[in-house]
Amino acid sequence: MGIEIEDKFDVPPDYAIPDLSRVGQVVGPKSHTLVAIYYDTPDLRLAAHGITLRRRRGGDDAGWHLKLPRAKGARQEIGRPLTRSVRVVPDDLAELVRGHTRGAPLQAVAELETRRSVTVVREGDRRLVEVADDRVKGTVFGEELRIVRWREVEAELLDGDAAVLAKVGKRLRKAGATPSGAASKLARLLDVPAPPAPPTEPGSAGEVVTGYLSGQVRALLAQDPQVRLAEKDAVHQMRVASRRLRSALKAFKKIVKNTGHVQDELKWLGSVLGEARDLEVIRGRFAEELAELAPELVTGPVRHRLGDGLRAREAEAYGRIREALSGERYYRLLDALEQLAAEPEQGKRAVRPAGEELAAVAAANWERVARKYDAAQAIDEPQRHETAMHEVRKAAKRARYTAEAVRAVLGPGTPRLAKLAEGVQDALGAHQDAVVAQETLVKEAESAREAGEDTFTYGLLIGLERAVADRALEDFPRTWARTATAAGKALSRLNP
């Protein structure tokens, strides 16, 4: 598994690879023939999302390859050894695209036969950039075979840096190459249906909100295979995308309406993802706290329970995530999200000018935070006050996501408002995290006690966490006073 960074160029039939010796030592060219069969659903769902899945013979990296888009010019490539079967995709690769296929069968859709001439730019033992000059014959399978021929050049970064790739690209362009408009050979070959444009008015609130929702749906889907691979931070990023979507649907309910069921399902997905993420965070938190304690204060197998024990629970939670992501409920949610992005049910306010309508929404969501805080301050009973402050935090999170969603339209006050809301969220998050940590410690201490273990350290950690939680609430009124003043200034800078 690796990240593929390359630039693609269209070239005329008589194109000649220019002299690259000024960039580095030139080795080659070396020629070989590659034959790749590409797999997709009958309606080309993978290709529509820039994903390629192929079985290739020939060259130095024969085998199965799955390429997932990561950023412009960069894709994550996952390889598996060549198998005998041409028809059956390896199970683990099929699993990684299940969020896109949703149970639809994978079948061979095209074949590419490429006569490749490879030149490598080196610096000593380092292979900096590989330049592939490809003459391609593409065959599209179907009731009638369709054959297309073309020539293209790829410059792939190996062990160099972006500057070296840019130098190679500059020389290729000077020789007559032009940047390719196709993301891949397969995209050039197949007639991939373009995603439907939502029926929104240009410059309207509906256009901005629908564009934001579409971006978050793409972000959620992009994290799906990364979560299945258990990549670092992937669960967190997918959870954030689901929260942003849910928050936007709440905040913009008068622009895009009748989304209650989708909100409920996003809440379900967030809870599925949250278990593993929360265990990961709290395990790291306890590791830091134990490392700061004097050795004589750490008694019994507390490190094991708060380390390996929580890690085992985290692994079990990942298993539940994978099960959920391969279930019909998740597939229905993804279908609903894509339908929502393509054909939103718009309210009357969707046609209003974006600046005017969205400024009002951003301001209303901040005012909601202020109302929640005032209500919490009027509560004397500690438990109810703590619960009310948690509602303030949730309101701040929604205000933050709302401001981030509209900042491209509303000018300089919006990023500041988002930052202030994030500050409220973080300050109260310190309290919430400490409360959750105490609850976890109490449960682990009870298990340790039943096993006859020394529980002194658990009590010590509970005391530390309680102090953190209390201090966070005690300090918050001063934080709020500063924040409220700054928020008033930021709101005045919104550009309706």
Side-chain angles (χ1 to χ4, degrees), residues 9 15-29 117-123 128-133 153-156 164-175 177:
F9 300 91
Y15 183 79
I17 299 293
D19 180 11
L20 301 174
S21 59
R22 291 187 179 182
V23 182
Q25 178 189 358
V26 177
V27 179
S117 179
V118 176
T119 300
V120 178
V121 180
R122 306 178 65 101
E123 183 180 71
L128 304 179
V129 175
E130 179 181 277
V131 178
D133 181 3
V153 171
E154 298 177 356
E156 182 179 354
V164 176
L165 185 62
K167 288 179 182 178
V168 171
K170 182 177 180 180
R171 281 160 176 75
L172 294 174
R173 291 193 301 274
K174 275 191 171 184

Side-chain angles (χ1 to χ4, degrees), residues 339-410:
Q339 178 71 17
L340 179 66
E343 299 180 50
E345 185 177 347
Q346 300 182 74
K348 292 181 179 179
R349 296 189 181 185
V351 297
R352 292 184 179 179
E356 178 182 335
E357 180 62 26
L358 298 181
V361 175
N365 274 270
W366 179 261
E367 290 164 3
R368 180 171 174 270
V369 182
R371 289 197 305 273
K372 293 281 187 182
Y373 178 70
D374 290 342
Q377 291 303 98
I379 299 174
D380 293 326
E381 197 275 313
Q383 189 62 45
R384 289 180 55 231
H385 175 73
E386 191 171 298
T387 300
M389 290 302 289
H390 184 55
E391 292 300 311
V392 176
R393 178 174 181 250
K394 292 197 294 185
K397 185 183 298 184
R398 179 163 143 187
R400 171 194 168 189
Y401 290 159
T402 304
E404 290 175 348
V406 302
R407 60 184 167 192
V409 179
L410 297 183

